[in-house]
């Protein structure tokens, strides 16, 4: 029972950024013990919840813009995610926003260096920096941010971080 409660408790912290209430902990623990739900179903329920969507939006604001969301912006992004916008597309919008670019030095060069550091965990080489600055000028920062966020290297970095965060090991 203690192991099941620990799983439920940690799932709430991981997905919703808060501890489970006594009622939530009791309900999910009983359901797991009885076999009426699996651990996957609990995680899926949390990940499909409106609360998770709001938590993701709040984290995007904090992680990219360094601030809490204003009510209108928060509601806008919650609505977008609930209506099919992927987390990747939303994250790219944050990384490509004029506010983020301004916060990171206000030039495409400074912004691209920051994208490398944030999403790839490394510095750009000279050719890469020049290429992406030219792409930002040609295609706009939103498209470049999406390309960065969805790149194979960025996805691998995120998967590695998930393994480290949740399993304390590499993949």
């Amino acid at each position: 029972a203690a192991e099941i409660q620990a799983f439920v408790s940690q799932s709430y912290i991981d997905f919703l950024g808060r501890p489970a209430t006594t009622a939530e902990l009791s309900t999910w623990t009983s359901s797991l013990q009885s076999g009426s739900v699996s651990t996957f179903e609990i995680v899926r329920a949390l990940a499909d919840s409106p609360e998770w969507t709001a938590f993701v939006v709040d984290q995007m604001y904090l992680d990219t813009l360094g601030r809490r969301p204003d009510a209108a912006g928060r509601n806008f992004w919650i609505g977008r995610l609930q209506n099919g916008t992927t987390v990747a597309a939303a994250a790219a919008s944050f990384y490509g926003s004029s506010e983020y670019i301004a916060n990171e030095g206000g030039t495409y060069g400074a912004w691209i260096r920051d994208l490398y550091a944030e999403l790839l965990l490394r510095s750009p080489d000279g050719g890469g920096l020049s290429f992406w600055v030219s792409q930002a000028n040609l295609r706009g920062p939103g498209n470049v941010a999406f390309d960065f966020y969805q790149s194979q290297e960025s996805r691998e970095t995120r998967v590695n971080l998930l393994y480290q965060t949740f399993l304390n090991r590499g993949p």
Side-chain angles (χ1 to χ4, degrees):
E3 187 176 298
I4 291 172
Q5 281 187 331
F7 170 80
V8 172
S9 293
Q10 191 62 49
S11 295
Y12 269 80
I13 290 168
D14 292 341
F15 280 88
L16 305 180
R18 66 166 178 87
T21 65
T22 303
E24 291 164 337
L25 187 60
S26 175
T27 299
W28 286 120
T29 299
S30 296
S31 296
L32 268 174
Q33 286 175 321
S34 71
S36 63
V37 299
S38 67
T39 55
F40 174 80
E41 290 169 310
I42 291 173
V43 169
R44 177 60 134 195
L46 294 175
D48 286 343
S49 72
E51 186 178 353
W52 178 81
T53 304
F55 178 71
V56 167
V57 169
D58 291 347
Q59 281 304 122
M60 280 194 277
Y61 270 92
L62 288 171
D63 292 345
T64 59
L65 304 178
R67 65 176 175 87
R68 300 199 58 72
D70 56 278
R74 186 176 195 257
N75 290 334
F76 171 81
W77 284 109
I78 288 172
R80 293 288 303 266
L81 290 173
Q82 289 174 334
N83 288 309
T85 297
T86 65
V87 172
S93 292
F94 276 78
Y95 280 111
S97 71
S98 57
E99 182 178 350
Y100 186 82
I101 294 167
N103 289 346
E104 299 309 321
T107 67
Y108 284 159
W111 170 66
I112 295 294
R113 280 189 284 282
D114 182 74
L115 287 181
Y116 268 91
E118 290 294 319
L119 300 177
L120 308 180
L121 305 181
R122 66 179 177 88
S123 297
D125 57 65
L129 179 61
S130 296
F131 173 78
W132 288 111
V133 167
S134 71
Q135 288 298 300
N137 283 312
L138 287 171
R139 299 173 40 233
N143 290 316
V144 169
F146 186 80
D147 289 349
F148 257 84
Y149 195 82
Q150 286 298 89
S151 72
Q152 183 69 27
E153 186 176 355
S154 176
R155 288 183 286 163
E156 287 173 4
T157 298
R158 289 192 310 274
V159 167
N160 288 335
L161 289 171
L162 286 169
Y163 267 84
Q164 286 301 321
T165 299
F166 296 116
L167 302 174
N168 295 313
R169 66 175 178 84

